[in-house]
């Protein structure tokens, strides 16, 4: 079944530094950071992190809602986060977390062990290793800010400066967003090449997905009760967490190596539905250019509580987008856009999703009907 979505709006997110033909982009393509009450489109450039309010973009206001100077170039750290209150950005680096306020000043920092394997240093600044060959391709952590803006969740490598005898190589921290005080910490039992957070509507809950390269993709679920951080493993360390449903009762994961999506229930994380490759067959039989065993994209999510938008890529590089019913796990059909799109879909949880146009900084907003 082909599904023709309704085109809602188009807008361009400016990239201050233009792309140079023949060279890599000078800015990452747009990403979405969302909470129940705010949706931001963020762009990381070498010198700053820009945040655009999605509702303002749709209304025709292309000015950034907030801009934060970056303490190190992109690629020299992990995934950064902007507060839903727009008063803070937290940068996840190789050696520290830096919290930058809306005026561009350093509000606080938390140093941690270097993410570069076999580097035992507690660096004091990025300048100590900038340009160092062994620090060019580090492992990395990530951070996120809770739905109410009160806490920062961060995946870091230990020890921290005050640790006498560290017991763990990697930990999950909950920090006070105002002053950076460590409120809670717990081991993740992981060996990350990289990680990312997925926010829950409840400020006291957060998901952490850790990529360990070929070794696996551990998924950890954190609960902060105001006094203690509890971390629970979900699954068999072979599923990447990609989204939480708007109602907060379901998780969406993709199996390691881009295999079958699965819908899990909370709070126990049990799989309720898995989308097997054979479920695509009825939709692909009429398409002569379809390749066998497509890989699922890791950027997918809940359009709303009833529907997921996801993508597959075939061996010839052809990408298709799909809508999936969350109640039954059925593939509803292939999305056939009336305009050219690129990149994977970015679900917004409110009944819409974004794609990039042929220009990755031109965003297109869609709904199922």
């Amino acid at each position: 079944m082909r599904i023709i979505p309704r085109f809602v709006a188009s807008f361009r997110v400016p990239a201050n530094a233009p792309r140079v033909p023949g060279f890599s982009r000078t800015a990452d393509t747009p990403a979405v950071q969302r909470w129940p009450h705010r949706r931001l489109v963020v762009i990381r450039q070498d010198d700053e992190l820009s945040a655009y309010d999605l509702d303002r973009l749709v209304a025709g206001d292309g000015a950034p809602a907030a801009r934060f100077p970056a303490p190190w170039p992109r690629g020299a750290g992990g995934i950064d986060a902007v507060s839903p209150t727009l008063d803070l950005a937290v940068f996840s680096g190789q050696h520290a977390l830096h919290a930058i306020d809306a005026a561009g000043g350093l509000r606080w920092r938390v140093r941690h062990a270097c993410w570069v394997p076999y580097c035992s240093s507690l660096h004091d600044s990025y300048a100590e290793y900038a340009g160092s060959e062994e620090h060019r391709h580090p492992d990395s952590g990530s951070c996120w800010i809770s739905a109410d803006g009160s806490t920062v969740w961060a995946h870091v490598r230990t020890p921290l400066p005050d640790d006498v005898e560290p017991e763990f190589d990697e930990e999950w921290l909950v920090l006070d967003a105002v002053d950076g005080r460590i409120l809670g910490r717990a081991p993740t039992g992981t060996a990350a090449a990289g990680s990312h957070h997925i926010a829950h509507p409840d400020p006291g809950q957060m998901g952490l997905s850790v990529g360990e390269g070929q070794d696996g993709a551990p998924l950890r679920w954190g609960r902060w009760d105001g006094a203690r951080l509890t971390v629970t493993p979900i699954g068999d360390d072979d599923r990447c967490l990609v989204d939480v449903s708007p109602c907060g009762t379901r998780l969406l994961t993709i199996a390691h190596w881009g295999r079958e999506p699965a819908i899990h229930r909370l709070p126990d994380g049990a799989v309720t539905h898995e989308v097997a490759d054979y479920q695509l067959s009825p939709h692909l039989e009429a398409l002569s250019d379809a390749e066998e065993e497509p890989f699922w994209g890791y950027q997918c999510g809940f359009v709303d509580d009833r529907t997921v938008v996801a993508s597959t890529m075939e061996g010839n590089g052809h990408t298709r987008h799909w809508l999936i019913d969350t109640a039954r796990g059925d593939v509803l059909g292939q999305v056939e856009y009336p305009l050219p799109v690129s990149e994977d879909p970015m679900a917004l949880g409110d009944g819409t999703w974004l794609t990039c146009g042929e220009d990755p900084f031109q965003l297109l907003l869609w709904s199922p009907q």
Side-chain angles (χ1 to χ4, degrees):
M1 176 180 175
R2 295 181 182 270
I3 298 172
I4 300 177
R6 182 173 68 90
F7 173 64
V8 179
S10 173
F11 43 86
R12 180 174 172 78
V13 182
N16 293 341
R19 185 176 182 179
V20 180
F23 294 86
S24 62
R25 292 186 182 120
T26 55
D28 290 339
T29 52
V32 170
Q33 296 186 7
R34 63 176 170 89
W35 303 265
H37 55 292
R38 186 183 290 278
R39 294 147 330 147
L40 299 176
V41 176
V42 298
I43 296 180
R44 178 65 154 94
Q45 298 177 180
D46 278 336
D47 59 349
E48 73 172 24
L49 180 65
S50 302
Y52 299 83
D53 184 274
L54 182 58
D55 292 332
R56 286 170 51 180
L57 285 172
V58 173
D61 182 358
R67 299 170 67 179
F68 303 91
W72 41 73
R74 65 194 180 99
I79 296 177
D80 311 318
V82 178
S83 171
T85 56
L86 293 171
D87 64 337
L88 189 72
V90 181
F91 292 83
S92 174
Q94 291 182 41
H95 75 285
L97 302 167
H98 277 208
I100 307 297
D101 64 24
L106 177 65
R107 181 183 293 183
W108 52 261
R109 73 166 183 164
V110 173
R111 293 165 60 210
H112 55 72
C114 181
W115 273 106
V116 173
Y118 312 114
C119 179
S120 58
S121 298
L122 277 167
H123 301 296
D124 191 60
S125 70
Y126 171 70
E128 290 183 14
Y129 54 86
S132 167
E133 182 65 29
E134 60 268 26
H135 287 77
R136 286 186 62 189
H137 304 289
D139 296 334
S140 61
S142 59
C143 60
W144 203 263
I145 301 175
S146 63
D148 63 359
S150 66
T151 56
V152 176
W153 298 62
H155 175 216
V156 302
R157 192 173 181 211
T158 51
L160 306 182
D162 293 335
D163 292 341
V164 179
E165 294 184 5
E167 298 181 54
F168 311 105
D169 292 328
E170 296 176 13
E171 288 188 81
W172 206 358
L173 309 180
V174 176
L175 307 104
D176 189 301
V178 174
D179 56 18
R181 286 180 301 115
I182 298 175
L183 305 174
R185 58 191 294 187
T188 59
T190 55
S195 70
H196 65 267
H197 287 72
I198 298 292
H200 190 275
D202 174 5
Q205 297 189 57
M206 187 74 68
L208 176 68
S209 192
V210 179
E212 296 183 333
Q214 65 181 8
D215 295 329
L219 194 170
R220 302 291 184 257
W221 195 255
R223 292 179 174 84
W224 170 248
D225 63 5
R228 181 169 178 263
L229 173 61
T230 303
V231 178
T232 305
I234 290 180
D236 55 2
D237 285 359
D238 206 36
R239 283 201 160 270
C240 177
L241 177 63
V242 292
D243 203 6
V244 176
S245 65
C247 64
T249 62
R250 294 188 180 101
L251 306 178
L252 177 64
T253 66
I254 300 289
H256 199 204
W257 305 112
R259 304 317 305 174
E260 295 87 353
I263 297 168
H264 306 243
R265 71 186 179 209
L266 281 176
D268 63 357
V271 173
T272 58
H273 302 289
E274 189 172 272
V275 183
D277 286 344
Y278 74 82
Q279 292 177 255
L280 297 177
S281 299
H283 306 281
L284 294 174
E285 285 175 350
L287 303 172
S288 59
D289 62 337
E291 296 283 342
E292 294 183 357
E293 297 185 357
F295 292 92
W296 292 87
Y298 289 105
Q299 184 171 281
C300 52
F302 289 91
V303 175
D304 52 33
D305 286 316
R306 304 181 305 276
T307 313
V308 160
V309 62
S311 66
T312 56
M313 177 178 287
E314 297 154 20
N316 59 8
H318 185 65
T319 299
R320 307 179 196 274
H321 293 183
W322 307 89
L323 293 184
I324 298 168
D325 180 270
T326 61
R328 302 186 304 273
D330 296 336
V331 176
L332 300 174
Q334 181 186 346
V335 181
E336 186 176 278
Y337 295 99
L339 298 171
V341 302
S342 63
E343 312 288 336
D344 288 336
M346 295 172 275
L348 299 176
D350 65 345
T352 63
W353 72 94
L354 289 170
T355 66
C356 296
E358 292 181 294
D359 175 351
F361 294 95
Q362 186 73 31
L363 296 180
L364 309 175
L365 183 65
W366 307 93
S367 71
Q369 311 93 11

